[in-house]
Amino acid sequence: MMNDSTEAAAGLPPATTNLLARWAQGEGRSAAALTIEALNAGCFCVSLDEDALTLGLQAELGSPEILQLVRERCPYVFSARPVFVSREHMDRMRRLIQAVEAVVALPAYRERVLARSPEIARQPASRTRGVFFGYDFHVAQEGFGLIEVNTNAGGAMLNAVLGRAHRACCLPVERLGPSAAGVEAFERAIVEMFHSEWRLGGSDRPLRTIAIVDEDPAGQYLYPEFLLFQRLFERHGLQAVVVDPQELTLHGDELRAGGLAIDLVYNRLTDFYLEAPASQALRTAYERGSVVVTPHPQAHALYADKRNLVLWSDGPVLEAIGVPEEARHVLLSGVPRTVVVDADNAEVLWSQRKRLFFKPFAGFGSRAAYRGDKVTQRVWSEIVAGGYVAQALIVPGERAVDAAADRPLKFDLRQYVYEGEVQWTAARLYQGQTTNFRTPGGGFAPVYEGPP
């Protein structure tokens, strides 16, 4: 399985190394949790191949200047170490995703959620599903929970590049990680997903043009990923541009970026309901059905509004809206109890704050989100003023990235999902209250999945 030099490189005692070999082959179920914990605590034999990453980025981006931009803009976007996760936890995440999808499909749920949402989310939407839903989890030996869902989750293309650049020291472990064939299949699935959204939008002609839209895209931390998407689309015969929403103009029923007519908008805006003045051309085109927008405002309302976590973790509500018993069990055991913060429960929540995490309804990127034990009186006054939920705290998993480091990094897991199916799983390593891509040794990391 692993020779002596491999054991030394792994930094693990022989007993744990033997567990690794058994785990990799699907044996030793009772020891699996211990093995995964030991691997995340002390396996340093799997690492990022910097040369392979550089070559991969050069090949994808096609420009030394852009590669330099990645290095300067995103120095902590790629972690050197993978995260080990049991198959049991992977299966549990998939079951929870399916349960959420089943709830969102219920008319009673949609009616309840859309009644509190802006008008643009209530208007009849196309049959498009929304690309790159990100289901974010905390998974550890002592805890499991769906932390939130995002409807414009970033990082997919960065993870594809990363998947090609990690190297394991031995075949049993290498088989648990992403393969070159798996990465290629993921990229094909990405392109097909956009074609699917175009077809679901009602057109009977081929998709031709895509606009990747975000506010000040060149100033975004993940701007290099926009360029990776642009290159991917172009390799598959699609014309793609990266634009600010204010660069879009409406000519009759045609949305344009410069002189280019746009068929589909890949929406990376955090202006989820297209309310900003810069988004008005895009909003009008969407309301007229002149362009396919994915993900669209209704998708955000149904999935990503943090108040949905309140519904998904409330047994009587789930039963009242017709959620089957099995799905209720999956949700209640996997979505941490969440409540809206208001004047009636503020005193109780303040007393319990060390066991809670506070998030704004429409938050994104961990902005204005606070772990309860870090909340000051000033911040608490802002939370109580309205617009926040309180979620039971689920401790994240931990991964040591360096044998000499004082303490391990935390991690969460992101499942990239389309039409209820998981396309890719990535980890995000960080230090502090939330993911931040500012931690040395942190960033996106591949997930190594093994039994049980």
Side-chain angles (χ1 to χ4, degrees):
M1 293 298 167
M2 299 177 68
N3 58 32
D4 292 340
S5 62
T6 298
E7 291 179 4
L12 295 171
T16 304
T17 304
N18 290 335
L19 283 175
L20 167 59
R22 293 169 60 199
W23 178 70
Q25 292 194 342
E27 303 173 9
R29 290 181 61 89
S30 62
L34 170 64
T35 309
I36 292 165
E37 188 177 59
L39 290 169
N40 282 327
C43 180
F44 308 118
C45 64
V46 187
S47 64
L48 179 63
D49 184 329
E50 290 288 348
D51 291 338
L53 178 63
T54 297
L55 290 173
L57 287 169
Q58 285 178 337
E60 296 282 352
L61 295 169
S63 166
E65 291 78 13
I66 299 176
L67 176 60
Q68 184 62 26
L69 174 66
V70 174
R71 298 299 193 194
E72 293 176 355
R73 178 78 62 86
C74 313
Y76 305 126
V77 76
F78 297 119
S79 177
R81 307 297 181 192
V83 167
F84 295 90
V85 180
S86 72
R87 185 170 298 161
E88 178 182 0
H89 275 140
M90 296 291 283
D91 290 343
R92 189 174 179 187
M93 286 187 282
R94 293 186 184 101
R95 289 196 300 273
L96 203 152
I97 290 166
Q98 291 167 0
V100 169
E101 294 286 343
V103 172
V104 173
L106 292 172
Y109 171 84
R110 300 173 77 89
E111 180 179 352
R112 180 186 289 250
V113 169
L114 295 179
R116 70 180 183 214
S117 302
E119 181 181 355
I120 193 171
R122 296 196 301 270
Q123 73 176 53
S126 68
R127 292 164 49 233
T128 54
R129 299 301 306 273
V131 297
F132 293 123
F133 282 17
Y135 283 73
D136 295 343
F137 291 85
H138 280 177
V139 173
Q141 186 175 2
E142 67 277 13
F144 173 94
L146 173 68
I147 305 307
E148 62 187 30
V149 179
N150 295 285
T151 48
N152 60 357
M157 282 302 299
L158 293 170
N159 279 290
V161 173
L162 181 64
R164 292 189 173 100
H166 261 256
R167 299 291 183 267
C169 66
C170 61
L171 187 58
V173 174
E174 184 177 336
R175 288 172 175 165
L176 304 177
S179 65
V183 173
E184 291 175 5
F186 179 42
E187 290 184 342
R188 288 195 300 271
I190 289 173
V191 176
E192 174 52 35
M193 174 174 62
F194 281 90
H195 282 290
S196 175
E197 289 290 277
W198 175 243
R199 292 191 296 269
L200 290 171
S203 180
D204 57 2
R205 64 172 176 80
L207 175 63
R208 298 172 302 192
T209 57
I210 295 177
I212 303 164
V213 178
D214 200 356
E215 182 181 1
D216 182 23
Q220 296 292 333
Y221 180 76
L222 293 183
Y223 174 60
E225 182 181 48
F226 298 166
L227 303 179
L228 288 170
F229 273 112
Q230 185 179 33
R231 302 297 191 274
L232 177 69
F233 294 143
E234 289 172 348
R235 290 199 302 273
H236 288 81
L238 299 169
Q239 191 170 358
V241 292
V242 181
V243 296
D244 185 287
Q246 65 185 356
E247 297 177 63
L248 299 172
T249 56
L250 199 59
H251 297 260
D253 284 336
E254 187 175 78
L255 187 69
R256 296 180 186 174
L260 181 67
I262 301 300
D263 291 336
L264 181 147
V265 168
Y266 172 26
N267 178 19
R268 292 288 291 255
L269 290 165
T270 54
D271 176 20
F272 301 115
Y273 298 116
L274 307 180
E275 296 170 318
S279 301
Q280 289 315 295
L282 177 57
R283 180 187 180 112
T284 301
Y286 171 70
E287 290 176 330
R288 291 180 182 176
S290 302
V291 68
V292 171
V293 178
T294 183
H296 51 62
Q298 189 175 102
H300 177 82
L302 292 171
Y303 288 87
D305 187 310
K306 302 300 185 293
R307 289 172 292 184
N308 298 336
L309 296 162
V310 177
L311 302 179
W312 300 342
S313 62
D314 188 321
V317 168
L318 293 175
E319 186 173 6
I321 62 177
V323 179
E325 182 178 0
E326 182 178 353
R328 292 201 308 270
H329 173 74
V330 171
L331 289 162
L332 295 175
S333 63
V335 180
R337 186 71 179 102
T338 307
V339 297
V340 173
V341 180
D342 57 33
D344 293 335
N345 60 19
E347 184 176 347
V348 172
L349 295 177
W350 173 255
S351 68
Q352 299 175 349
R353 66 188 183 281
K354 292 183 179 180
R355 301 195 299 272
L356 299 171
F357 204 97
F358 298 93
K359 302 177 181 182
F361 295 165
F364 62 92
S366 302
R367 297 186 184 184
Y370 305 98
R371 204 172 72 186
D373 59 354
K374 305 295 184 182
V375 170
T376 64
Q377 286 284 358
R378 180 190 63 79
V379 169
W380 181 244
S381 66
E382 296 174 359
I383 292 173
V384 175
Y388 271 79
V389 298
Q391 184 180 62
L393 184 65
I394 300 295
V395 177
E398 293 185 335
R399 174 61 162 119
V401 297
D402 187 334
D406 293 336
R407 56 180 176 174
L409 300 183
K410 303 169 187 176
F411 72 82
D412 68 4
L413 298 176
R414 168 164 286 180
Q415 300 274 21
Y416 292 95
V417 174
Y418 180 63
E419 292 191 309
E421 296 297 324
V422 175
Q423 297 173 306
W424 193 263
T425 306
R428 297 183 295 178
L429 297 172
Y430 64 98
Q431 200 171 57
Q433 292 191 59
T434 57
T435 53
N436 50 40
F437 296 108
R438 300 291 189 272
T439 303
F444 283 117
V447 169
Y448 281 51
E449 175 187 350

Short mmCIF file of all heavy atoms in Angstrom, two decimals, residues 307-331:
data_model
loop_
_atom_site.label_atom_id
_atom_site.label_comp_id
_atom_site.label_asym_id
_atom_site.label_seq_id
_atom_site.Cartn_x
_atom_site.Cartn_y
_atom_site.Cartn_z
N ARG A 307 -33.78 33.48 5.36
CA ARG A 307 -35.02 33.13 6.07
C ARG A 307 -35.53 31.76 5.66
O ARG A 307 -36.32 31.14 6.40
CB ARG A 307 -36.08 34.19 5.83
CG ARG A 307 -35.81 35.51 6.55
CD ARG A 307 -36.76 36.59 6.13
NE ARG A 307 -36.55 36.99 4.73
CZ ARG A 307 -37.21 37.98 4.13
NH1 ARG A 307 -38.13 38.66 4.81
NH2 ARG A 307 -36.96 38.29 2.87
N ASN A 308 -35.09 31.26 4.53
CA ASN A 308 -35.48 29.91 4.13
C ASN A 308 -34.95 28.87 5.10
O ASN A 308 -35.56 27.82 5.30
CB ASN A 308 -34.98 29.60 2.72
CG ASN A 308 -35.58 30.53 1.68
OD1 ASN A 308 -36.66 31.09 1.88
ND2 ASN A 308 -34.89 30.71 0.57
N LEU A 309 -33.79 29.15 5.70
CA LEU A 309 -33.23 28.23 6.69
C LEU A 309 -34.17 28.08 7.89
O LEU A 309 -34.20 27.02 8.53
CB LEU A 309 -31.87 28.73 7.16
CG LEU A 309 -30.77 28.77 6.10
CD1 LEU A 309 -29.62 29.67 6.55
CD2 LEU A 309 -30.25 27.38 5.79
N VAL A 310 -34.94 29.14 8.19
CA VAL A 310 -35.92 29.07 9.26
C VAL A 310 -36.98 28.02 8.92
O VAL A 310 -37.36 27.19 9.76
CB VAL A 310 -36.56 30.45 9.49
CG1 VAL A 310 -37.64 30.38 10.57
CG2 VAL A 310 -35.49 31.48 9.87
N LEU A 311 -37.48 28.07 7.69
CA LEU A 311 -38.51 27.12 7.27
C LEU A 311 -37.97 25.70 7.22
O LEU A 311 -38.64 24.75 7.64
CB LEU A 311 -39.06 27.53 5.90
CG LEU A 311 -39.66 28.93 5.78
CD1 LEU A 311 -40.13 29.17 4.35
CD2 LEU A 311 -40.81 29.11 6.75
N TRP A 312 -36.76 25.54 6.68
CA TRP A 312 -36.19 24.21 6.51
C TRP A 312 -35.86 23.53 7.84
O TRP A 312 -35.66 22.32 7.88
CB TRP A 312 -34.93 24.28 5.66
CG TRP A 312 -35.13 24.82 4.29
CD1 TRP A 312 -36.31 24.93 3.60
CD2 TRP A 312 -34.14 25.36 3.41
NE1 TRP A 312 -36.12 25.50 2.38
CE2 TRP A 312 -34.80 25.78 2.22
CE3 TRP A 312 -32.76 25.54 3.51
CZ2 TRP A 312 -34.11 26.34 1.15
CZ3 TRP A 312 -32.07 26.11 2.44
CH2 TRP A 312 -32.74 26.51 1.28
N SER A 313 -35.79 24.31 8.92
CA SER A 313 -35.45 23.73 10.23
C SER A 313 -36.60 23.76 11.21
O SER A 313 -36.42 23.57 12.42
CB SER A 313 -34.24 24.48 10.83
OG SER A 313 -34.55 25.85 11.08
N ASP A 314 -37.82 23.98 10.71
CA ASP A 314 -39.01 24.07 11.55
C ASP A 314 -39.94 22.90 11.23
O ASP A 314 -40.62 22.90 10.20
CB ASP A 314 -39.72 25.41 11.31
CG ASP A 314 -40.86 25.67 12.28
OD1 ASP A 314 -41.59 24.72 12.61
OD2 ASP A 314 -41.02 26.84 12.70
N GLY A 315 -39.98 21.91 12.13
CA GLY A 315 -40.76 20.69 11.88
C GLY A 315 -42.23 20.94 11.62
O GLY A 315 -42.78 20.44 10.62
N PRO A 316 -42.96 21.68 12.47
CA PRO A 316 -44.38 21.92 12.22
C PRO A 316 -44.65 22.62 10.90
O PRO A 316 -45.63 22.30 10.20
CB PRO A 316 -44.79 22.80 13.42
CG PRO A 316 -43.85 22.41 14.51
CD PRO A 316 -42.55 22.15 13.81
N VAL A 317 -43.80 23.57 10.51
CA VAL A 317 -43.99 24.26 9.23
C VAL A 317 -43.79 23.28 8.08
O VAL A 317 -44.58 23.28 7.11
CB VAL A 317 -43.03 25.46 9.11
CG1 VAL A 317 -43.02 25.99 7.67
CG2 VAL A 317 -43.42 26.57 10.07
N LEU A 318 -42.74 22.48 8.15
CA LEU A 318 -42.49 21.51 7.08
C LEU A 318 -43.67 20.55 6.93
O LEU A 318 -44.08 20.23 5.80
CB LEU A 318 -41.21 20.73 7.38
CG LEU A 318 -39.90 21.53 7.33
CD1 LEU A 318 -38.74 20.65 7.77
CD2 LEU A 318 -39.63 22.09 5.94
N GLU A 319 -44.22 20.12 8.03
CA GLU A 319 -45.38 19.22 7.97
C GLU A 319 -46.59 19.93 7.39
O GLU A 319 -47.33 19.38 6.56
CB GLU A 319 -45.70 18.68 9.36
CG GLU A 319 -46.79 17.64 9.37
CD GLU A 319 -46.99 16.99 10.73
OE1 GLU A 319 -46.33 17.43 11.71
OE2 GLU A 319 -47.79 16.03 10.83
N ALA A 320 -46.78 21.20 7.78
CA ALA A 320 -47.95 21.95 7.33
C ALA A 320 -47.94 22.21 5.83
O ALA A 320 -49.00 22.25 5.19
CB ALA A 320 -48.04 23.28 8.08
N ILE A 321 -46.75 22.36 5.24
CA ILE A 321 -46.69 22.65 3.80
C ILE A 321 -46.58 21.37 2.96
O ILE A 321 -46.43 21.44 1.75
CB ILE A 321 -45.53 23.60 3.45
CG1 ILE A 321 -44.17 23.00 3.80
CG2 ILE A 321 -45.72 24.94 4.14
CD1 ILE A 321 -42.99 23.87 3.39
N GLY A 322 -46.64 20.21 3.63
CA GLY A 322 -46.74 18.95 2.90
C GLY A 322 -45.43 18.25 2.61
O GLY A 322 -45.37 17.42 1.68
N VAL A 323 -44.39 18.51 3.38
CA VAL A 323 -43.12 17.82 3.17
C VAL A 323 -43.22 16.40 3.71
O VAL A 323 -43.61 16.21 4.86
CB VAL A 323 -41.96 18.57 3.88
CG1 VAL A 323 -40.65 17.84 3.67
CG2 VAL A 323 -41.87 20.01 3.38
N PRO A 324 -42.90 15.39 2.92
CA PRO A 324 -42.99 14.00 3.38
C PRO A 324 -42.12 13.75 4.61
O PRO A 324 -41.11 14.43 4.84
CB PRO A 324 -42.50 13.19 2.18
CG PRO A 324 -42.72 14.08 1.01
CD PRO A 324 -42.50 15.47 1.51
N GLU A 325 -42.48 12.75 5.39
CA GLU A 325 -41.81 12.49 6.67
C GLU A 325 -40.32 12.24 6.50
O GLU A 325 -39.50 12.75 7.27
CB GLU A 325 -42.47 11.29 7.35
CG GLU A 325 -41.85 10.97 8.72
CD GLU A 325 -42.54 9.79 9.39
OE1 GLU A 325 -43.49 9.24 8.81
OE2 GLU A 325 -42.12 9.42 10.50
N GLU A 326 -39.94 11.45 5.50
CA GLU A 326 -38.52 11.14 5.32
C GLU A 326 -37.71 12.40 5.02
O GLU A 326 -36.62 12.61 5.58
CB GLU A 326 -38.34 10.13 4.19
CG GLU A 326 -36.89 9.72 3.98
CD GLU A 326 -36.73 8.67 2.89
OE1 GLU A 326 -37.76 8.16 2.39
OE2 GLU A 326 -35.58 8.36 2.54
N ALA A 327 -38.25 13.26 4.15
CA ALA A 327 -37.55 14.50 3.84
C ALA A 327 -37.49 15.41 5.05
O ALA A 327 -36.48 16.10 5.29
CB ALA A 327 -38.23 15.21 2.67
N ARG A 328 -38.56 15.43 5.86
CA ARG A 328 -38.54 16.24 7.09
C ARG A 328 -37.42 15.78 8.01
O ARG A 328 -36.70 16.60 8.59
CB ARG A 328 -39.88 16.15 7.82
CG ARG A 328 -41.04 16.80 7.11
CD ARG A 328 -42.17 17.14 8.08
NE ARG A 328 -42.61 16.04 8.91
CZ ARG A 328 -43.57 15.17 8.59
NH1 ARG A 328 -44.17 15.28 7.43
NH2 ARG A 328 -43.92 14.22 9.43
N HIS A 329 -37.26 14.49 8.14
CA HIS A 329 -36.21 13.96 9.01
C HIS A 329 -34.83 14.38 8.52
O HIS A 329 -33.98 14.80 9.32
CB HIS A 329 -36.30 12.43 9.07
CG HIS A 329 -35.15 11.80 9.80
ND1 HIS A 329 -35.03 11.84 11.18
CD2 HIS A 329 -34.05 11.13 9.34
CE1 HIS A 329 -33.91 11.22 11.54
NE2 HIS A 329 -33.31 10.79 10.45
N VAL A 330 -34.62 14.30 7.22
CA VAL A 330 -33.32 14.68 6.65
C VAL A 330 -33.05 16.16 6.91
O VAL A 330 -31.94 16.54 7.30
CB VAL A 330 -33.28 14.38 5.14
CG1 VAL A 330 -32.03 14.96 4.49
CG2 VAL A 330 -33.32 12.87 4.90
N LEU A 331 -34.06 17.00 6.71
CA LEU A 331 -33.87 18.44 6.90
C LEU A 331 -33.64 18.78 8.37
O LEU A 331 -32.72 19.55 8.70
CB LEU A 331 -35.09 19.19 6.38
CG LEU A 331 -35.26 19.21 4.86
CD1 LEU A 331 -36.68 19.58 4.47
CD2 LEU A 331 -34.27 20.18 4.24
#
